[in-house]
Amino acid sequence: MRTSFFTDHYELTMLQAALASGAAHRRSFFEAFSRRLPDGRRYGVVAGTGRLLEGLADFHFGDDELRYLKDHKVVNDETLKYLENFKFTGSITGYAEGELYFPNSPLLMVESTFAEACVIETYLLSILNHDSAIASAASRMIASAANRPCIEMGSRRTHEESAVAAARAAVIAGFTATSNLEAGARYGLQTLGTSAHSFTLLHDTERAAFQAQVDSLGRGTTLLVDTYDVEAGVRTAVDVAGPELGGVRLDSGDLVQQAGWVRKLLDDLGNWNTKITVTSDLDEYAIAALASAPVDAYGVGTALVTGSGHPTASMVYKLVSRQNDAGDWVSVAKAAANKASVGGRKFAVRQLNERGRAVAEVVSTAPYSTGEPERDLMVPLVIDGQVDASYTGAEGVAKAVARHHASIQEMPGEARKLQRGEPVIPTIMVRG
Amino acid sequence: MRTSFFTDHYELTMLQAALASGAAHRRSFFEAFSRRLPDGRRYGVVAGTGRLLEGLADFHFGDDELRYLKDHKVVNDETLKYLENFKFTGSITGYAEGELYFPNSPLLMVESTFAEACVIETYLLSILNHDSAIASAASRMIASAANRPCIEMGSRRTHEESAVAAARAAVIAGFTATSNLEAGARYGLQTLGTSAHSFTLLHDTERAAFQAQVDSLGRGTTLLVDTYDVEAGVRTAVDVAGPELGGVRLDSGDLVQQAGWVRKLLDDLGNWNTKITVTSDLDEYAIAALASAPVDAYGVGTALVTGSGHPTASMVYKLVSRQNDAGDWVSVAKAAANKASVGGRKFAVRQLNERGRAVAEVVSTAPYSTGEPERDLMVPLVIDGQVDASYTGAEGVAKAVARHHASIQEMPGEARKLQRGEPVIPTIMVRG
């Protein structure tokens, strides 16, 4: 699957005009960043980097794409000629996947000709904006769940390919598993699931359904007990599966109250090891409300795959520096109205206190040290077109999981607060 | 690309248990519907049907998928054997793409063995939920824009494949064109775009950038005039391109006020035919606020691809009827708590008044006529596994565009109101 057509028409018309003027070959720095976090959020989570690096390998224009561009007169012959041999040969440094970010964190710095950086813009932003929105929401859910496992189950609520990316982003932020088989196959994620209400309704009685499930999937399976009367459902489940019943799932009603009496009923019946999974329209707030309820695992769907109110991360990609005809670097920035930004190549370190806790995000337009403990946030992801493969595939996901966990641990405790508030550390911009 | 793995793990474990119990082969009806519209919306728009029908052709399990399922012990050998030959051989009737829908409209009725209907569940819902959410938001934007063209430009704000589906859904709801090249190529949509701020910043001066763009793309191009000072930008644009300048684009600031004086300035300079396109974070409300401003076209991004606050359509897919061992049909429905639904196969007509205006959505559990003017909403989409190809591809999109337009025209005028309110026509449920 070629990735080059996940691109806006204007990237190629700009390319055409810049090839004609000669400016297309000027070396440039583009910066991906977000001016703000979603309202009230304390931090964001970078995700999608691995997918982007994987997709760059397939970002070229084949016969089908070139024919389309020619037939539909999107660009002229000179531009087609350029695109025939297109390959990203530049360098990308930036925040590694799983890392936290704040307003104006320079998430990616892309250094290449204008032409190359321009052509990959839409694709790069699509991935970063989507995956980071999901990971940012997922991370808050994990914080709310404390040490209870969260399972991603939102595939049916979002585009079929977004679902795969969402499962991946959720796992990076700390989710234990996903229901999505394609995500399991593509990224080596654990997949989980047992049955739905339709399975119970298919059989003549709830007992017949439970018996069929236990016979086929074993006593360790999780039975969905709320198709009819929950109490009767729990009793039938225990009757059919005995004390080895793996779990029951509750998918409706007042979960806090229900989890309480279901736990008591299970214990009374001798099923001390049978776990309770809850799954009804959970978000980070509902999960927090269940903290004191005897719940063993959370299945999260809609709120996860839609970013819990913030389905996109509002990241932008701006030309911040480019060479002139003499080969000198010139910082550039849009000046007009409400979208002004800071020109120039960016660097970033996370300043820490003596106990290793984050104090500030320090962004600068030249290499800069705070003189305090600090950690460089800009890592090389692509060098002269060569992707660092350790950020891709299943290995990339596994590393991002660890990195996210470490990055969260480094934050002040307020990072985990659900209440609306300011970013948990300030972004300090050092110019020059 | 196989579509079968866009599936939740539990669809296949349910299948395994149902194959073992023998119930997997019971004939079943599954219904796709939504219990409610997003809060305050007057109607929803069905979209994704064509994509679903296209994807069914690739919904089978190849060697890679079967090996994954075996290696990861997702299902047993009997189930693998069944999946080896999987092909959807059932029938689907329902609302054609572009049609409006209301709470409890039976959008799709899937008739097949339980096994077949179960295995396609996740994929079917992913597509319907995503695409309908986008089309529903897009339709409101079109209503706000009155007869001014809307252009879809949101690719960078959503997953790269969602972007393609979103462009398609937007066009079905009335958008004129999209920026997304893949959507253009895949569905025969018109694509548009000229340049971004980076193109201006790349050149030594705004004038040099405009000159390069006009030289390469022609005087009919649209110049982006708000990189620096807007007034100076407009004057330079006219100076470079002359009276034939196709358009200027405004992407920041107070668009209502700005569009006013930019129009006056263009007219004063003799550029009566130069159009104004606005593109800064528009949604249906911002578009409505621009109604009296001299704007010629709207470019819509983030709000469109995220469903303007409602990124998913909350559609569910429920087993509503199935045969028992004697071959009799049994209506079934979940009873517990807050998710009760109505069992039985559904039929639906839209009741009209004598002037052809919609009066009610009449849903029934047996064929039913209101005795008034009415229109059958349930059309055959798949018959015994054979997809009606007229609903797919570019033809399917073109028909859906016309259908949506007609379906909107049929509604009372209140359908086009932006204010929060009740569904514009009631859903009447007729049982038996």
Side-chain angles (χ1 to χ4, degrees):
Chain A
M1 176 72 201
R2 297 232 168 78
T3 53
S4 59
F5 252 36
F6 294 128
T7 292
D8 286 330
H9 186 115
Y10 83 171
E11 312 287 9
L12 301 192
T13 49
M14 270 193 279
L15 170 65
Q16 172 179 319
L19 285 170
S21 77
H25 305 295
R26 290 182 164 184
R27 300 294 297 178
S28 301
F29 278 100
F30 274 79
E31 176 186 355
F33 66 100
S34 182
R35 293 187 179 91
R36 55 187 182 282
L37 299 177
D39 199 23
R41 292 272 182 91
R42 310 301 179 110
Y43 63 87
V45 179
V46 181
T49 325
R51 292 211 303 118
L52 170 65
L53 299 183
E54 290 159 17
L56 275 186
D58 300 312
F59 202 102
H60 50 90
F61 295 80
D63 292 344
D64 289 350
E65 290 81 13
L66 294 169
R67 190 173 321 108
Y68 177 87
L69 296 175
K70 188 177 178 66
D71 290 352
H72 291 79
K73 301 186 173 52
V74 176
V75 290
N76 63 13
D77 287 347
E78 181 192 11
T79 311
L80 290 174
K81 195 93 199 149
Y82 174 85
L83 291 175
E84 244 174 55
N85 304 306
F86 186 85
K87 181 184 178 314
F88 181 75
T89 64
S91 297
I92 305 179
T93 58
Y95 285 43
E97 190 158 17
E99 191 63 83
L100 304 198
Y101 74 87
F102 300 91
N104 297 306
S105 293
L107 303 174
L108 295 177
M109 292 297 312
V110 176
E111 180 187 6
S112 68
T113 60
F114 173 82
E116 289 187 16
C118 172
V119 172
I120 66 169
E121 171 177 21
T122 307
Y123 181 60
L124 178 152
L125 281 175
S126 286
I127 293 179
L128 269 196
N129 270 321
H130 175 267
D131 291 15
S132 300
I134 307 304
S136 298
S139 181
R140 283 161 59 87
M141 294 168 182
I142 293 297
S144 290
N147 292 316
R148 293 173 179 172
C150 291
I151 302 152
E152 189 283 308
M153 297 183 169
S155 296
R156 66 190 56 197
R157 300 303 193 170
T158 189
H159 183 284
E160 65 275 19
E161 275 285 357
S162 306
V164 180
R168 181 183 177 282
V171 167
I172 286 172
F175 274 58
T176 309
T178 173
S179 63
N180 189 289
L181 289 174
E182 181 64 26
R186 219 181 276 180
Y187 302 110
L189 313 182
Q190 190 193 352
T191 65
L192 280 182
T194 58
S195 64
H197 297 112
S198 62
F199 182 80
T200 300
L201 296 169
L202 172 68
H203 290 83
D204 294 336
T205 62
E206 188 175 52
R207 177 175 296 268
F210 288 178
Q211 192 69 56
Q213 185 174 333
V214 168
D215 287 351
S216 182
L217 303 176
R219 292 174 192 277
T221 195
T222 295
L223 294 169
L224 177 58
V225 293
D226 69 343
T227 303
Y228 305 108
D229 178 78
V230 179
E231 183 182 340
V234 173
R235 289 182 184 278
T236 304
V238 169
D239 205 37
V240 167
E244 295 157 62
L245 174 61
V248 294
R249 178 159 76 94
L250 303 171
D251 185 48
S252 51
D254 177 348
L255 294 174
V256 175
Q257 184 248 357
Q258 207 172 65
W261 66 255
V262 167
R263 178 74 270 158
K264 185 166 184 321
L265 177 58
L266 285 168
D267 290 346
D268 289 348
L269 295 169
N271 278 48
W272 306 291
N273 296 320
T274 299
K275 295 194 185 318
I276 298 177
T277 297
V278 296
T279 56
S280 185
D281 278 337
L282 300 182
D283 62 11
E284 61 270 46
Y285 304 102
I287 291 170
L290 284 157
S292 63
V295 167
D296 298 286
Y298 302 103
V300 190
T302 310
L304 178 82
V305 299
T306 56
S308 199
H310 301 286
T312 187
S314 74
M315 287 174 196
V316 293
Y317 179 81
K318 298 293 174 190
L319 178 66
V320 290
S321 188
R322 47 93 185 155
Q323 291 189 330
N324 60 19
D325 286 340
D328 304 320
W329 285 99
V330 180
S331 290
V332 296
K334 180 175 189 292
N338 54 347
K339 288 182 180 172
S341 49
V342 178
R345 179 183 177 179
K346 305 297 187 311
F347 302 81
V349 296
R350 189 156 294 157
Q351 185 186 334
L352 310 171
N353 67 16
E354 64 288 349
R355 285 168 290 114
R357 279 289 164 100
V359 173
E361 192 85 338
V362 183
V363 180
S364 54
T365 52
Y368 177 83
S369 171
T370 61
E372 303 287 325
E374 66 188 20
R375 186 161 69 78
D376 192 357
L377 294 164
M378 306 300 280
V379 301
L381 300 165
V382 182
I383 300 178
D384 297 336
Q386 291 301 308
V387 166
D388 184 336
S390 74
Y391 292 103
T392 66
E395 180 189 2
V397 172
K399 285 190 171 175
V401 171
R403 187 178 300 116
H404 179 66
H405 185 74
S407 191
I408 282 280
Q409 295 302 313
E410 187 184 71
M411 285 295 139
E414 300 88 68
R416 281 180 285 275
K417 282 192 180 167
L418 286 185
Q419 307 95 297
R420 298 156 74 88
E422 295 298 309
V424 65
I425 56 172
T427 304
I428 299 169
M429 184 71 70
V430 181
R431 302 202 191 203
Chain B
M1 175 74 200
R2 297 232 168 77
T3 53
S4 59
F5 252 35
F6 294 128
T7 292
D8 285 329
H9 186 115
Y10 82 172
E11 311 287 9
L12 301 191
T13 50
M14 271 195 275
L15 170 66
Q16 172 179 318
L19 285 169
S21 75
H25 304 295
R26 290 181 164 186
R27 299 294 297 179
S28 301
F29 279 99
F30 273 79
E31 177 187 354
F33 66 100
S34 182
R35 294 187 179 89
R36 55 187 183 284
L37 299 177
D39 199 23
R41 292 270 182 95
R42 309 301 178 109
Y43 63 87
V45 180
V46 181
T49 324
R51 292 211 304 120
L52 170 64
L53 299 182
E54 289 158 18
L56 276 185
D58 300 313
F59 201 102
H60 50 89
F61 295 81
D63 291 345
D64 289 349
E65 290 82 13
L66 295 168
R67 189 175 320 110
Y68 177 86
L69 296 174
K70 189 176 176 68
D71 289 351
H72 291 79
K73 299 186 173 51
V74 175
V75 289
N76 63 14
D77 287 347
E78 182 193 11
T79 311
L80 291 175
K81 194 94 199 148
Y82 174 85
L83 292 175
E84 245 173 54
N85 305 306
F86 186 85
K87 180 183 180 313
F88 182 75
T89 65
S91 297
I92 305 179
T93 58
Y95 285 43
E97 190 158 17
E99 190 64 83
L100 303 197
Y101 75 87
F102 300 92
N104 297 307
S105 292
L107 304 175
L108 295 177
M109 294 296 313
V110 177
E111 178 185 9
S112 68
T113 61
F114 173 83
E116 289 187 15
C118 173
V119 171
I120 66 169
E121 172 178 21
T122 307
Y123 181 61
L124 178 152
L125 281 175
S126 286
I127 293 178
L128 269 196
N129 270 321
H130 174 267
D131 291 14
S132 300
I134 307 304
S136 298
S139 181
R140 284 161 58 86
M141 293 167 183
I142 293 297
S144 289
N147 292 316
R148 293 174 178 171
C150 291
I151 302 153
E152 189 283 308
M153 297 182 169
S155 296
R156 66 191 55 196
R157 301 302 192 171
T158 188
H159 183 283
E160 65 275 19
E161 274 285 357
S162 307
V164 181
R168 182 184 176 281
V171 167
I172 286 172
F175 274 57
T176 309
T178 173
S179 63
N180 191 289
L181 288 175
E182 181 64 26
R186 220 182 274 180
Y187 302 110
L189 314 181
Q190 192 194 351
T191 64
L192 280 183
T194 57
S195 64
H197 297 113
S198 63
F199 181 81
T200 300
L201 295 170
L202 171 68
H203 289 83
D204 295 335
T205 63
E206 189 174 52
R207 177 176 295 268
F210 288 178
Q211 191 68 58
Q213 184 173 332
V214 168
D215 286 350
S216 181
L217 303 176
R219 292 174 191 278
T221 194
T222 295
L223 294 169
L224 178 58
V225 293
D226 70 342
T227 303
Y228 306 108
D229 178 77
V230 179
E231 184 184 338
V234 173
R235 289 182 184 277
T236 305
V238 169
D239 205 36
V240 167
E244 294 155 63
L245 174 62
V248 295
R249 180 159 74 92
L250 303 171
D251 185 49
S252 52
D254 176 348
L255 295 174
V256 175
Q257 185 248 353
Q258 208 170 65
W261 66 254
V262 167
R263 178 74 270 158
K264 184 163 183 321
L265 177 57
L266 285 169
D267 290 346
D268 289 349
L269 295 169
N271 277 49
W272 307 290
N273 295 321
T274 299
K275 294 192 183 318
I276 298 176
T277 297
V278 296
T279 56
S280 183
D281 278 336
L282 300 181
D283 61 12
E284 61 270 46
Y285 304 102
I287 291 171
L290 284 158
S292 64
V295 166
D296 298 285
Y298 302 104
V300 190
T302 310
L304 177 83
V305 299
T306 58
S308 198
H310 301 286
T312 186
S314 75
M315 288 174 195
V316 294
Y317 179 81
K318 298 292 174 191
L319 178 66
V320 290
S321 188
R322 48 93 185 153
Q323 290 189 332
N324 61 18
D325 285 342
D328 304 320
W329 285 99
V330 181
S331 289
V332 297
K334 181 174 190 292
N338 55 346
K339 288 183 182 173
S341 49
V342 177
R345 178 183 179 180
K346 304 298 187 310
F347 302 82
V349 296
R350 189 156 295 156
Q351 185 186 333
L352 311 170
N353 66 17
E354 65 289 348
R355 285 168 290 116
R357 279 290 163 102
V359 172
E361 192 86 336
V362 183
V363 180
S364 55
T365 54
Y368 178 83
S369 172
T370 60
E372 303 287 326
E374 66 189 19
R375 187 161 68 80
D376 192 356
L377 294 163
M378 307 300 281
V379 300
L381 300 166
V382 183
I383 300 177
D384 297 336
Q386 291 302 309
V387 166
D388 184 335
S390 74
Y391 292 103
T392 65
E395 181 189 1
V397 172
K399 284 189 172 177
V401 171
R403 189 179 296 115
H404 179 65
H405 185 74
S407 191
I408 282 281
Q409 294 303 314
E410 187 185 69
M411 285 295 139
E414 300 88 67
R416 282 181 284 275
K417 282 192 180 167
L418 286 185
Q419 307 95 296
R420 298 156 74 89
E422 295 299 308
V424 66
I425 56 172
T427 304
I428 299 169
M429 183 71 71
V430 180
R431 303 200 192 208

